[in-house]
Structures are given as C-alpha cells and as structure tokens.
Amino acid sequence: MRWFRRGNRQWQGALGDPSLHQKLLRLINKINWQSMKKSVQEIDWTPYKQPRFIVAGSTAATFLVLSGGFVSSHINHTKAWNEVFTNGTYVGLVPSNNATISGMKRTAAGYNINLQFVPVHKQVAGSYDWQRVTTLPEKAYAVALNGSPLVYTNSPSAAQKVIRQVKQALVPKHLSATAQVQFSGAVSVQQSIVGVAQILSTQAAALYLLNPGQNFSTSSRSVNILSAARAHGGPNIQVSNFSPSASVHEFPASAKVSVTTDTFAQSRSKAAKQSTSQPLLTVDASEVVQKQVNVKYPVKRIKDARAAAGTVKVVAKGQSGVVSEKVRQVYKNGKLVSSKVLSKDVLKKPVTQVEDVGTNRGIAAGNWIWPVPSSHIITSGYGPRYLFGRWGFHPGIDIGCPVGTPIVATNDGVVEDAGWNSGGYGIWIKLNNGHGIETVYGHLSKVKVHPGETVAKGQVIGYSGATGFVTGPHLHYEIRKNGQHINPQPYM
Ligand SMILES: [Zn+2]
C-alpha cells in the first residue's frame, strides 16, 4: 500500500484511473460522515478538482479509517464541505452538515430540482463559495421582443400573464371599443434554460418590463432555495438590483437576503412615481373618434379716429361656429402622440364680429398742431369783426398763405365732408376729431381726402386757395365743440 497525501506538496501523486475516482466518490457517499468527520477533517480531500492521493490495493474506506490518526496532527485549517451538483454540473459548495444538505434537498425537490452532494475537504478563503447555487440551470419561459428574451418566468401561462399585465398597464385609460391595440414589434414566449435566479415571479417580471430601472426581488423559487441554505448555516445572500439580462448572476457572499413583498399594484404605482426608466415594451393604440369642435368667430376691426385710442366698441356681435371632426388619435404607451383630422363637417358657420377701434390720441394727449406748416401769419382772429361793410362774428382764424399751400390735419380724425360748401367756405374739409370736436378748413383750392376717410394728425389733406367768400387767398380754420364754434387758440 502506498500513501500519498497532500499538505506537503512533494507527496502529491496523480490518480490515473477515472473509474477508480468514481468508485471512491460512491463510497464516500455511503460513509457515515458524522462519525468519520474527526478523521476526514484533516485531509485535503478534493476528488473533483485535482486528485491528490492514490489508494493502491485497497478501498478508500480502508484508507480513510486507517489514515485517521496519520494525518490528524498536520492540517487543521481546512474544513469539510459538500460540492453541489445538478445533472453533473457543479453549482456550488455548502458546509458539510446534515441539516444543510437535507434542507436543501427538500427545498430543491419541491421544485423538481435534483441536487447531488459530494463531500470534499478543502480550505475556503474567507467566505463560502455558495453563490453559484443561483446558477442552477432551470427551464424557463421568456417574454421576448423580436426574438430577444427580456425577462424569464417559470411557465408559459405566467409569461402570457406578464404580457397581458404589461399591455393593460400601457394602454390609454379611455379607448373607444373600435380602437386597435398592439405591441410595437413581435412579442412572444420563448422556452429556454437559465439560472434559477433569473426566473422572476409574474409580478416582478411585469414590473421589470414596465420599469427596468427599479429594484425588485428575484423569483420565489431561487429565494426559497437560498433561504433554505441560509437557514441551515449558509451565508446571507443579497437579492437586489437584479438584472435578468445578466448572463450569470452572482451574489456577494456576505450580504443578506431581502425579499420585496410589494403587490403588483403597489409596485406599479411606485414605478409610475419613479418613471426613471422607459418600459421595455411599447403598446401602440389608435382610434378614430368623432368630435364636435367650436370654431371661434373671426373679428373685423375698424379704425375709428373719432373714438379715443384704446377704446373698442362691438358693432356686431360674433358667433362661434361648430365643426364635426373625424380624428385619428394615436397613443404610445398611453400617451397621445398624434391627432390627425380625417374629415370635417361644418355644422354651424361662425359669424364675424365687427369692432370699432378708437385711434384718436389727440384729445387725450392735448397735442394739436398748426394747420399751415409754412405760414404762421394770422390775418384775422377769432371773434367780432367788420367785414364787407358790416359787423359780423368771425368763427375761426384766417392764416395768410398763397394758393396751393399744403394744409394738414391738426389732429387724428375722420373726414365728414370734403368738397364744395355753398355756405361761403368754398372748397372745404370738415373733420370729426372725436370727443365732440370738429375742425374746419375753408377756402381751399383742392382737397386730397374724401368723406369717410380716416386721417392722421399732420397728414396733408388739401391745398389753400381763395374759394367762397374771400378777399384774398388764405386758410380759414375753425374748431367746433359739440356743434358750437370755439376759439381755436387753446387748441393750437
Ligand atoms: Zn375766416
């Protein structure tokens, strides 16, 4: 019999026969581990990694029993473990105690997962290499978009339920019965094999699709298995910030399990509040609706120099029209993105409103100007005077100027009369300047405006002359307030 043991590396040998190796393993599994623990503890026993000993001409059991005392005093920094396998795939390492193993087996069996435990003895630096249990391969059903899996569930019906929930959450609240609702892109259910921790509950999966940026718990299945391990001496495990898109999900060995118990509804409202990330699926909805739309009446504004600037008087009241519109409304994830009018029916035509808009700033501002820019000679003032052999009353002022001198409007106004006056003014212009004030320009040779026309202060309205009762060319200028002649001097 030759003995090779590890601990002193120069003693290492190679195990050339794999079948012997397998036999050894089977044997190990039959051993009452507790009773052997004392002796095995001190052996660096790693059958699946690199064989570290050769048993020649004997069985492993014999080796173990006989070797107990031999190695005990040399190695005390290694521990007994169980390597965990499922269908030949290594998934992790757990402490070697019956409670851990039976607890895990029981939990796994509940999910039809077959675990194999292979005792090993090795040194593990600091923490357990337990996290890989979460990569237990499992049959899963993905919700996929255009062939790419987005999230995994544990059954086809769960995946369909996720799709329904997401669709329902993303359609507009009030849609007509004839509305068309569909996902943007091809949404399907795909079967695949993934690590058990990637499989989410229906609620978590729907929530993830609606708000991928939010933290949520992993599936109940992986949590249960992990909890079982934890309850029986395994490390604490963190399940958060879980991203189903990660190919291998690993948990920090020293963290704690935290499982969110939010219901779907609670999570949805939370997700809505956060809304930091866009849903992974898009629901397009479109509907054609008939709408009655009020059409505002047009307004026609007429400038009125007789009215003070800033005043508006409604001359004819407008009336709104009514149009019946057929509109196609398109929504993306419940948000209206386009609204197109397909056809219009005028039910009632609008009636134009007519408004009289005052433009007269003169009275309010007190700014009147001189009617003859080129001459300031007053040849006859306002008041009683002797003319044509008798006394009379001169109702305005005369300003001396040659025939053809430009005459300007002394303020804003509307032309009331322009042309021949048979009362002695000859060719004249009468302006209504608003606020009860009229201005008169007499004895002209020519007018440049016509009745009804709006004129601005300073605008040339005609040319001086000598028409009517005159002794020579001049402008006769007068101001009437509420129909009575007044002295124009204060308005000059
Ligand atoms: Zn005069």
Side-chain angles (χ1 to χ4, degrees):
M1 214 192 290
R2 292 195 300 143
W3 301 91
F4 288 79
R5 61 173 284 277
R6 195 182 169 212
N8 285 323
R9 291 205 175 241
Q10 68 265 28
W11 288 12
Q12 270 180 237
L15 180 64
D17 179 4
S19 67
L20 175 60
H21 186 95
Q22 293 300 325
K23 279 180 200 162
L24 207 55
L25 283 179
R26 278 199 293 277
L27 213 57
I28 290 162
N29 280 325
K30 286 176 189 165
I31 293 167
N32 181 330
W33 196 253
Q34 289 301 325
S35 67
M36 296 303 293
K37 199 174 176 185
K38 195 167 184 296
S39 53
V40 173
Q41 252 175 354
E42 287 120 14
I43 301 173
D44 186 7
W45 181 254
T46 55
Y48 259 54
K49 301 291 161 110
Q50 189 183 359
R52 301 289 155 79
F53 59 92
I54 289 177
V55 180
S58 182
T59 64
T62 313
F63 158 70
L64 290 167
V65 171
L66 292 178
S67 64
F70 179 75
V71 294
S72 61
S73 60
H74 291 278
I75 306 159
N76 55 15
H77 58 283
T78 58
K79 278 177 75 178
W81 298 86
N82 269 260
E83 288 186 330
V84 186
F85 294 80
T86 179
N87 302 324
T89 306
Y90 174 77
V91 290
L93 190 71
V94 295
S96 179
N97 69 67
N98 288 337
T100 300
I101 295 166
S102 61
M104 285 185 69
K105 274 183 174 166
R106 212 171 30 249
T107 310
Y111 296 108
N112 285 327
I113 295 168
N114 190 22
L115 296 181
Q116 295 93 46
F117 294 83
V118 177
V120 294
H121 209 86
K122 67 193 278 185
Q123 183 181 2
V124 177
S127 60
Y128 299 155
D129 181 23
W130 161 248
Q131 62 269 29
R132 288 188 61 194
V133 154
T134 58
T135 63
L136 275 171
E138 255 288 84
K139 196 190 271 183
Y141 295 86
V143 174
L145 177 62
N146 297 327
S148 304
L150 297 176
V151 72
Y152 297 98
T153 66
N154 63 358
S155 72
S157 64
Q160 291 293 355
K161 193 176 172 190
V162 169
I163 293 172
R164 279 198 308 277
Q165 282 188 346
V166 169
K167 198 172 196 177
Q168 200 175 9
L170 294 178
V171 294
K173 292 284 172 287
H174 308 289
L175 267 190
S176 60
T178 55
Q180 290 181 322
V181 179
Q182 61 192 32
F183 281 111
S184 174
V187 175
S188 61
V189 175
Q190 285 180 356
Q191 189 187 313
S192 57
I193 303 286
V194 296
V196 67
Q198 286 187 257
I199 301 172
L200 302 189
S201 69
T202 325
Q203 291 167 354
L207 180 59
Y208 172 73
L209 292 177
L210 290 169
N211 190 348
Q214 195 186 13
N215 294 349
F216 54 91
S217 69
T218 184
S219 72
S220 58
R221 176 178 302 201
S222 61
V223 169
N224 282 344
I225 295 174
L226 297 171
S227 310
R230 187 176 62 138
H232 298 292
N236 292 328
I237 293 158
Q238 173 82 38
V239 185
S240 65
N241 293 321
F242 175 61
S243 163
S245 59
S247 55
V248 174
H249 185 60
E250 300 205 341
F251 301 110
S254 58
K256 282 189 172 172
V257 173
S258 67
V259 180
T260 308
T261 54
D262 278 349
T263 65
F264 179 69
Q266 285 169 331
S267 304
R268 260 299 285 150
S269 75
K270 237 192 228 171
K273 270 180 208 152
Q274 292 187 343
S275 68
T276 46
S277 59
Q278 293 296 311
L280 295 180
L281 293 175
T282 303
V283 172
D284 293 328
S286 107
E287 60 177 352
V288 175
V289 292
Q290 199 80 32
K291 281 182 171 177
Q292 282 212 352
V293 182
N294 283 342
V295 180
K296 178 104 174 91
Y297 50 78
V299 176
K300 189 180 169 190
R301 290 190 172 88
I302 298 169
K303 282 184 185 174
D304 185 355
R306 286 164 296 191
T311 60
V312 176
K313 194 173 139 198
V314 176
V315 180
K317 202 163 164 46
Q319 285 174 26
S320 294
V322 181
V323 173
S324 176
E325 290 181 342
K326 202 185 222 185
V327 184
R328 177 181 298 284
Q329 294 179 321
V330 178
Y331 300 85
K332 256 192 192 319
N333 286 350
K335 211 183 246 176
L336 184 67
V337 291
S338 92
S339 190
K340 191 184 172 193
V341 177
L342 303 177
S343 65
K344 266 187 189 181
D345 266 331
V346 177
L347 302 182
K348 188 187 157 201
K349 277 191 175 176
V351 176
T352 302
Q353 171 153 310
V354 181
E355 293 174 357
D356 198 296
V357 180
T359 59
N360 192 310
R361 298 178 308 274
I363 300 293
N367 288 328
W368 292 73
I369 59 172
W370 190 255
V372 190
S374 63
S375 171
H376 283 74
I377 304 160
I378 298 174
T379 52
S380 180
Y382 176 82
R385 69 173 180 179
Y386 189 80
L387 191 67
F388 298 127
R390 59 184 176 96
W391 281 94
F393 187 86
H394 191 218
I397 57 172
D398 292 343
I399 301 164
C401 56
V403 173
T405 303
I407 305 301
V408 299
T410 52
N411 215 323
D412 297 338
V414 175
V415 180
E416 282 194 345
D417 200 357
W420 184 256
N421 172 278
S422 54
Y425 290 98
I427 296 174
W428 80 330
I429 293 170
K430 188 164 86 166
L431 299 183
N432 185 330
N433 299 96
H435 304 270
I437 302 222
E438 292 167 312
T439 47
V440 168
Y441 310 78
H443 314 308
L444 304 175
S445 60
K446 198 177 168 188
V447 298
K448 272 192 81 179
V449 292
H450 52 84
E453 187 178 338
T454 294
V455 297
K457 178 162 67 176
Q459 180 184 335
V460 176
I461 52 176
Y463 299 91
S464 65
T467 55
F469 301 153
V470 290
T471 54
H474 72 276
L475 173 72
H476 172 87
Y477 175 69
E478 60 184 68
I479 294 184
R480 301 175 186 176
K481 189 165 190 180
N482 300 323
Q484 302 295 314
H485 293 104
I486 57 166
N487 186 356
Q489 292 288 7
Y491 293 90
M492 303 305 257

